[in-house]
């Protein structure tokens, strides 16, 4: 019932009021849409969708009654606004993806440098452990220095692993394919295997 208020089928309006309501403004320019938040554009999208459905129903009714429909301009403006909303949102998403990619790339570079440090520390720890084993149970100055250095390396290794754990989680998505692009969830034609 509320859907037809103000339209050509509203019985409460006179003919002149219906003509006045038929006057519409310009479509939303992309410049103004860029200033809107996602929620505002979401609301505007549904307002446009409701208007589009309303106009398409009027157009269908006019075709059925074989009369000329006068509101082609309104329908065109609504469709243009919806198209611009989609364009603004998709460009915004592309920009967000670019920012996320830069962030992931910087984390990946940091992870690679930490992984290199970790590898060199582990190699040094293996060499020191071998030297300590080769020296045997004798308590010499060199053995005690190697043991203290090994303890320092183990502490550094533990710190590096603590730093690497969140970085590994953040950059792991680079190794796994995005589920949206897998064939299983694809909207491409053909059977899914």
């Amino acid at each position: 019932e509320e859907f037809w208020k103000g339209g050509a089928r509203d019985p409460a309006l006179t003919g002149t009021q219906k003509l006045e309501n038929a006057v519409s403004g310009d479509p939303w320019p992309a410049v103004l849409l860029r200033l809107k938040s996602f929620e505002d554009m979401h609301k505007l999208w549904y307002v446009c969708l409701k208007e589009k459905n309303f106009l398409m129903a009027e157009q269908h009714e006019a075709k059925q009654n074989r009369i000329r429909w006068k509101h082609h301009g309104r329908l065109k403006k609504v469709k243009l606004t919806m198209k611009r909303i989609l364009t603004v949102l998709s460009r915004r998403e592309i920009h967000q993806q670019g920012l996320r990619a830069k962030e992931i790339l910087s984390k990946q570079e940091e992870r690679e440098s930490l992984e290199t440090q970790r590898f060199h520390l582990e190699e040094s720890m293996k060499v020191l452990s071998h030297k300590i084993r080769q020296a045997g149970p004798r308590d010499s100055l060199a053995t005690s220095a190697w043991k203290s250095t090994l303890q320092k390396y183990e502490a550094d290794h533990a710190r590096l692993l603590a730093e690497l754990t969140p970085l590994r989680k953040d950059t792991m998505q680079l190794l796994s394919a995005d589920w949206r692009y897998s064939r299983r969830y694809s909207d491409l034609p053909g059977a899914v295997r």
Side-chain angles (χ1 to χ4, degrees):
E1 63 199 62
E2 189 180 312
F3 185 72
W4 295 106
K5 279 191 178 173
R9 298 189 66 188
D10 192 354
L13 296 179
T14 63
T16 55
Q17 287 175 323
K18 288 179 185 178
L19 283 175
E20 287 172 8
N21 288 348
V23 176
S24 61
D26 291 331
W28 277 79
V31 176
L32 291 179
L33 288 173
R34 284 188 204 106
L35 302 175
K36 298 284 181 192
S37 67
F38 177 80
E39 289 77 21
D40 290 344
M41 281 203 276
H42 192 259
K43 290 173 189 171
L44 182 60
W45 173 266
Y46 278 102
V47 167
C48 288
L49 185 64
K50 185 176 174 182
E51 180 71 16
K52 180 181 159 193
N53 287 340
F54 175 75
L55 291 170
M56 301 268 295
E58 279 189 353
Q59 184 182 34
H60 182 69
E61 184 185 19
K63 278 183 186 174
Q64 281 183 334
N65 295 334
R66 293 191 175 104
I67 57 174
R68 195 170 148 266
W69 188 60
K70 307 173 195 78
H71 307 302
H72 292 288
R74 280 176 68 187
L75 185 60
K76 192 174 178 181
K77 289 173 188 177
V78 169
K79 285 182 177 180
L80 185 60
T81 298
M82 292 174 83
K83 189 174 167 184
R84 286 178 180 166
I85 289 172
L86 280 180
T87 303
V88 167
L89 286 177
S90 60
R91 286 189 178 178
R92 203 176 272 181
E93 179 61 26
I94 288 168
H95 180 69
Q96 289 296 322
Q97 285 178 356
L99 292 177
R100 282 193 296 269
K102 280 183 181 176
E103 181 183 340
I104 288 175
L105 187 62
S106 68
K107 285 181 180 178
Q108 179 66 20
E109 289 170 353
E110 184 182 353
R111 177 185 171 182
E112 286 173 2
S113 70
L114 289 176
E115 290 281 7
T116 305
Q117 289 176 24
R118 181 192 58 81
F119 175 75
H120 289 303
L121 265 178
E122 286 175 356
E123 290 297 313
S124 300
M125 287 164 58
K126 285 179 188 174
V127 169
L128 283 175
S129 298
H130 179 71
K131 284 182 180 179
I132 291 170
R133 265 188 268 112
Q134 289 293 330
R138 295 186 307 248
D139 194 26
S140 67
L141 187 60
T143 308
S144 59
W146 290 335
K147 285 181 181 176
S148 65
T149 306
L150 184 62
Q151 287 176 347
K152 182 181 153 270
Y153 282 175
E154 285 171 349
D156 287 345
H157 187 261
R159 179 189 53 80
L160 276 175
L161 287 178
E163 287 179 29
L164 275 170
T165 303
L167 284 174
R168 284 177 178 162
K169 280 183 184 174
D170 290 341
T171 55
M172 240 6 206
Q173 59 189 328
L174 294 173
L175 301 177
S176 61
D178 194 342
W179 64 269
R180 290 175 292 186
Y181 303 119
S182 66
R183 183 81 173 123
R184 187 170 173 199
Y185 297 101
S186 176
D187 55 356
L188 296 172
V192 174
R193 290 184 193 92

